Amino acid sequence: MQQQYDYDVLIVGSGAAGLRLALELADEARVAVLAKGSITEGSTYYAQGGVSAVLDPSDSFDSHIQDTLNAGAGLCHPEVVRFTVERAPAAIQWLIDHGVDFTRYPGGDNAYHLTREGGHSHRRVIHAADATGRAIETSLVARAREHAGIALLERHIAVDLITTRKLGRGGANRCLGAYVLNRDAQRVELFAARCVVLATGGASKVYRYTSNPDTATGDGIAMAWRAGCRVANLEFNQFHPTCLYHPHAKSFLITEAVRGEGGRLLLPDGESFMQRFDPRGELAPRDIVARAIDHEMKRLGVDHVLLDISHKPAAFIREHFPTVHARCLEFGFDMTREPLPVVPAAHYTCGGVMTDRDGHTDVECLYAIGETTHTGLHGANRMASNSLLECLVFAQAAGADIRRRLAQNPPPERLPPWDESRVTDSDEEVVVSHNWDELRHFMWDYVGIVRTNKRLQRARRRVELLQHEIHEYYSNFRVSNDLIELRNLVQVAELIIRSAQARKESRGLHYTLDYPETDTRRPPHDTVLTPEPQPDSRLAGVRL
């Protein structure tokens, strides 16, 4: 009989959303937090810019709300934006109370330094130098490690969710737990819980070039879809305009705050170009800046453009961007003396699993928070530094709801063991690596910053072939970390393509040459996809 691990709450993901939720619940519940790699290895740790919040007397909630609505190109849900923005100052205070050391202005009053980023009309981004995510992640991990009610399980990747529907039961579909691969022991383990929470981040690893760490493989979106949850707005993939262009600078982002503090985008000959695309210049929303760079690179046939802040004093640059400055020096670039070569890269998944403001999904006892979700906050384009804010606010809301419901939810039940009776060890791992490379290449070429109907059709055909190959592979061989991630990425790629095909306009982050204008004939709408019921033969314990 396979050992079963029982918890009140199982949290899949160890970034800002997952850790805040764990800390919210740990005094009243037994909580397990799963991390695919080390506990800090996720997008939160690498976030440079900061967290947006109204903290200056000259700023206002209404201004933050309007800026967010403007960036979202008509698709933000206003009530969700207000819900988030009004809870931002309390979220910042919670971080301060939990040990996050934000940067302060020099001088006597010791006030926190606020910077400005694209789309914001005020300085409202609080930060810890240029490594805000690292400060948040390390502080929350330290607090979680001190708490006896939290089990932090590193190198554990969820294979799939266990639901009553997958067990062939009638009635409402309810999540009961998950099968989880223990990467060190190389075995699939069984976790049961009263509530399961997906906090797995986004899916930018579906693209060849991305600012995200290797963990951003859309696991929560794919698992929720297979469990019966709707997804929305997955056509809106944000490409950060400025990643360092260097063959060895894997995923290194040049924070938007560089432009917020006066950095200029230049062509290789030194000409400024952003004013030709938007009167806000370098401080236009990311979708506009990324498309402008993409346009100029294709027009000129160049591999990159330049980002220059060397006109600022060297001491100012080193003080405000110590991490970026040091990292660029490692690659031979001194940003105090010269411009940096930059290119756009996939950065943020604006759509995801549909939830309400408490994190509920379409499956009972299954919650989702953070980048893996569609809450209505971001609309067609996420405004800079609203992402960590979303993690914090919705984790708090989900925590309050889970506390209310825990006593009502039944205790964990005995679940079917993971079935490996009909599989063998793979002798063709090259299939996984080849399919992984093929997927990321055609998604970049056909479903990237600029799209067409023909490109999307090509991508759809290729992803369907990959799905067939991966399903056969998954059915016949023991699971591995790479196979689990590839299976999830291919599923999310299909959903991204289907969402892009369904939107017959250009809006926000979705730009297509076949429909270059925004559709003004009808009200803006979300792109919602609904999964078909799982066949009865695919029961838990028989390779979900």
Side-chain angles (χ1 to χ4, degrees), residues 77-266:
H77 297 189
E79 72 284 359
V80 174
V81 176
R82 180 169 293 278
F83 174 85
T84 309
V85 166
E86 290 181 347
R87 285 159 178 77
I92 298 303
Q93 188 58 53
W94 186 88
L95 289 175
I96 294 169
D97 293 343
H98 283 74
V100 179
D101 186 17
F102 290 111
T103 299
R104 298 176 185 268
Y105 284 103
D109 62 2
N110 212 27
Y112 289 108
H113 181 270
L114 303 176
T115 192
R116 183 181 172 196
E117 297 181 342
H120 292 273
S121 57
H122 290 78
R123 284 181 173 265
R124 66 167 67 99
V125 179
I126 189 170
H127 60 99
D130 60 348
T132 308
R134 182 171 62 194
I136 292 173
E137 181 75 8
T138 53
S139 296
L140 298 189
V141 166
R143 290 300 179 102
R145 288 195 191 282
E146 295 170 355
H147 207 297
I150 301 174
L152 299 177
L153 303 175
E154 298 181 293
R155 294 182 58 78
H156 283 67
I157 179 171
V159 181
D160 233 330
L161 301 171
I162 304 169
T163 66
T164 53
R165 181 179 295 172
K166 289 181 180 179
L167 292 174
R169 300 178 189 172
N173 192 19
R174 182 162 59 90
C175 188
L176 305 171
Y179 293 117
V180 177
L181 175 65
N182 180 329
R183 295 175 61 188
D184 291 329
Q186 281 300 300
R187 65 170 180 263
V188 174
E189 297 175 340
L190 179 58
F191 284 75
R194 294 173 185 259
C195 294
V196 177
V197 184
L198 300 173
T200 56
S204 288
K205 202 69 180 176
V206 76
Y207 289 102
R208 183 181 181 187
Y209 300 112
T210 175
S211 65
N212 287 193
D214 290 342
T215 54
T217 52
D219 303 328
I221 299 171
M223 287 190 291
W225 174 261
R226 292 193 293 263
C229 296
R230 292 170 298 162
V231 299
N233 288 3
L234 281 169
E235 70 270 34
F236 297 118
N237 304 279
Q238 188 175 79
F239 290 79
H240 196 288
T242 54
C243 276
L244 186 66
Y245 179 77
H246 188 280
H248 303 300
K250 179 183 177 184
S251 304
F252 186 66
L253 184 74
I254 307 299
T255 173
E256 188 161 324
V258 171
R259 284 178 283 132
E261 295 295 340
R264 299 175 299 184
L265 286 165
L266 308 173

Side-chain angles (χ1 to χ4, degrees), residues 2 23 34 97 102 104 174 201 210 232 296 316 334 341 343 382 448 474 479 498:
Q2 184 178 19
L23 290 166
L34 305 183
D97 293 343
F102 290 111
R104 298 176 185 268
R174 182 162 59 90
T210 175
E296 292 300 293
F316 174 91
D334 185 350
V343 293
R382 175 181 70 88
Y474 177 81
V479 295
R498 286 173 56 186

